[in-house]
Amino acid sequence: MSENFIEHSENQNRQYIDAQALVRAHTLAIKASREVRGSMIWRELRGVRYLIRTSAASAQKTIGPDSEVTRKIYTDFMERKKASVERVKTLSARMLEQRKLNKVYRLGRTPNVVVKILQSLASAGLADKFLTVGTHAMYAYESACGVMVVPDALATRDLDLLFDSRKRLAFVSTLQKLDTSLIGVLRKADPSFEVMRGQLQTAVNNDGFEVDVIKRIATEGDPHPLCMSDDENVFWAVQVPADQEMLSGRLFEQLVVSTSGEMATMRTLHPLDFVRIKQALGNKPQRDALKRPKDLLQAKLVQQLWSEWLCHRQDAI
């Protein structure tokens, strides 16, 4: 065991495994509940009774006239909806209990604001449009290993979110359906987030925590510059040369837990891709001299995590 890591206790590991299973079940339940959003009603039109599907936004679609088939459709839908609502309710109550236990066992140390942002993106249906890159990705790696990395390697006050511009149309469509914007989604995590004047790719909250949205160099018809949404707080994504390599790399997903016990799934780079990129940055002469030592330290630590723990995980390869 390296002096750079502190292993979790058996109780902490057991608690983390329970948290993973619960979050997975809760996520699936929420996904299933979206399939039965809205309702079904019977309505008489010109003397004929019709089954009508209503959406959460009050849009209506006629299924067909009253018949044995439509009555079965109605019954099946209402039973599925009732079961889905009950399952989400039960699992949500368990999630609350789990958060309390996470705090009791001091399981989490990912910054609260980071986990809340990941939760907000997931709730909006936008989680698959972004990757967490940079220093905060290390929380995913250490969580997967059941260890804590030395604090010096994790100190940072900004979160880098890599936007997958290949999914831009789906991203815009989702925001339109929700009648919100990216800054609006961030404000679900912390209402004090504002886009910085003169640095429109960055949002900052009252605590000085920054969120930077980055994207690959414009290609394949990517708009540039890229406005993230139509809002009074204009939010732009800035180009970064290495981002195409990040997007084309392997995906790594892991549950992270905040200091308050909140939980979220972090989507980030495969550990070996992280190591390669950080090593390249740390050896780049043009890189900020104050950042290069930290880049190399992070590359070294994640390589150790991979060699000692992660390479034995089949799903990490």
Side-chain angles (χ1 to χ4, degrees):
M1 165 61 64
S2 168
E3 63 182 9
N4 294 317
F5 310 111
I6 300 173
E7 284 195 86
H8 286 170
S9 67
E10 288 187 14
N11 285 338
Q12 285 177 313
N13 284 333
R14 187 161 48 247
Q15 176 67 18
Y16 183 80
I17 291 171
D18 290 345
Q20 276 188 308
L22 180 57
V23 169
R24 190 178 302 115
H26 186 258
T27 300
L28 290 174
I30 293 294
K31 183 178 180 181
S33 71
R34 290 174 180 155
E35 297 177 2
V36 289
R37 281 186 294 189
S39 187
M40 284 192 177
I41 59 174
W42 294 100
R43 179 172 295 166
E44 189 169 308
L45 299 173
R46 294 183 292 277
V48 180
R49 190 170 182 247
Y50 286 92
L51 178 61
I52 296 174
R53 173 72 185 269
T54 62
S55 72
S58 299
Q60 297 186 352
K61 178 182 178 181
T62 301
I63 304 298
D66 188 357
S67 68
E68 185 177 337
V69 172
T70 53
R71 284 195 294 272
K72 186 177 188 311
I73 290 174
Y74 174 82
T75 300
D76 290 348
F77 176 87
M78 298 306 288
E79 288 179 352
R80 285 174 57 211
K81 185 174 180 66
K82 180 180 178 181
S84 177
V85 169
E86 186 59 35
R87 182 168 177 78
V88 170
K89 181 180 178 181
T90 300
L91 288 172
S92 294
R94 287 192 58 200
M95 288 280 284
L96 182 59
E97 295 172 2
Q98 192 75 32
R99 287 196 290 269
K100 293 177 180 177
L101 288 172
N102 289 344
K103 191 172 182 180
V104 168
Y105 284 103
R106 298 183 179 179
L107 182 61
R109 67 171 188 152
T110 306
N112 291 328
V113 65
V114 172
V115 173
K116 285 187 175 294
I117 288 170
L118 295 178
Q119 289 177 337
S120 186
L121 289 172
S123 295
L126 299 173
D128 65 333
K129 313 296 188 298
F130 293 92
L131 288 181
T132 298
V133 296
T135 297
H136 283 97
M138 295 186 67
Y139 289 108
Y141 307 142
E142 69 168 19
S143 295
C145 298
V147 302
M148 292 184 290
V149 177
V150 289
D152 289 350
L154 295 170
T156 183
R157 293 288 296 167
D158 66 295
L159 172 66
D160 292 328
L161 292 177
L162 172 60
F163 175 62
D164 189 346
S165 54
R166 298 170 299 184
K167 300 179 180 179
R168 183 176 61 89
L169 294 179
F171 171 78
V172 171
S173 175
T174 300
L175 289 180
Q176 289 175 341
K177 288 178 182 177
L178 296 173
D179 191 25
T180 190
S181 61
L182 182 56
I183 191 65
V185 173
L186 293 181
R187 284 174 178 164
K188 292 289 185 179
D190 183 334
S192 70
F193 270 116
E194 297 281 354
V195 177
M196 292 181 66
R197 299 301 96 189
Q199 195 171 324
L200 300 180
Q201 77 276 13
T202 303
V204 61
N205 69 4
N206 286 348
D207 293 325
F209 187 88
E210 298 180 359
V211 178
D212 291 321
V213 179
I214 56 180
K215 74 177 190 70
R216 66 181 182 179
I217 296 293
T219 185
E220 299 176 8
D222 288 353
H224 176 68
L226 176 59
C227 184
M228 298 303 294
S229 50
D230 184 15
D231 185 81
E232 67 276 6
N233 284 271
V234 180
F235 207 164
W236 299 85
V238 65
Q239 296 184 133
V240 176
D243 286 3
Q244 178 59 45
E245 181 181 1
M246 295 182 195
L247 287 174
S248 59
R250 294 162 289 182
L251 176 65
F252 188 85
E253 292 185 313
Q254 189 68 36
L255 178 73
V256 292
V257 183
S258 76
T259 52
S260 65
E262 297 279 351
M263 300 167 284
T265 298
M266 180 180 286
R267 302 174 75 255
T268 186
L269 308 175
H270 187 280
L272 293 183
D273 292 335
F274 179 95
V275 170
R276 186 176 65 255
I277 290 170
K278 282 293 183 176
Q279 285 177 337
L281 286 172
N283 291 309
K284 192 174 182 179
Q286 301 92 330
R287 180 71 164 167
D288 186 332
L290 296 177
K291 295 181 178 180
R292 289 173 64 189
K294 188 175 179 181
D295 291 330
L296 295 174
L297 172 62
Q298 291 178 345
K300 174 186 174 183
L301 294 178
V302 175
Q303 180 63 62
Q304 284 184 263
L305 290 175
W306 173 262
S307 300
E308 295 184 32
W309 289 282
L310 287 173
C311 67
H312 306 299
R313 274 183 43 171
Q314 291 184 358
D315 62 337
I317 299 175

